[in-house]
Amino acid sequence: MRMSVTPQEIAQHLVEELGHQEALEAYRTHLSRCYDPETAGVWTNIGQALESLNPTE
């Protein structure tokens, strides 16, 4: 799947909008609902980017 933004950009946006903890919870929720391996891979990459960010709250 080709994306126009990077997982890091998506992760940063989620943190800015939701805060670090809620962004992690949203990622886990979306990942648990994925049936398609390609979509799960995208969410896994976003999760890795989220986990690499330091919580700023």
Side-chain angles (χ1 to χ4, degrees), residues 21 23-33 43 50-51:
Q21 188 60 39
L24 283 171
E25 290 172 18
Y27 145 70
R28 290 181 186 119
T29 298
H30 285 288
L31 182 61
S32 71
R33 294 179 178 175
W43 276 106
L50 277 170
E51 292 171 1

Side-chain angles (χ1 to χ4, degrees), residues 5-48:
V5 294
T6 66
Q8 292 80 9
E9 290 171 316
I10 295 169
Q12 186 62 43
H13 175 75
L14 287 171
V15 169
E16 289 170 1
E17 290 293 316
L18 304 173
H20 195 263
Q21 188 60 39
E22 285 188 44
L24 283 171
E25 290 172 18
Y27 145 70
R28 290 181 186 119
T29 298
H30 285 288
L31 182 61
S32 71
R33 294 179 178 175
C34 290
Y35 294 104
D36 178 55
E38 190 172 11
T39 305
V42 169
W43 276 106
T44 298
N45 291 340
I46 293 168
Q48 289 172 345

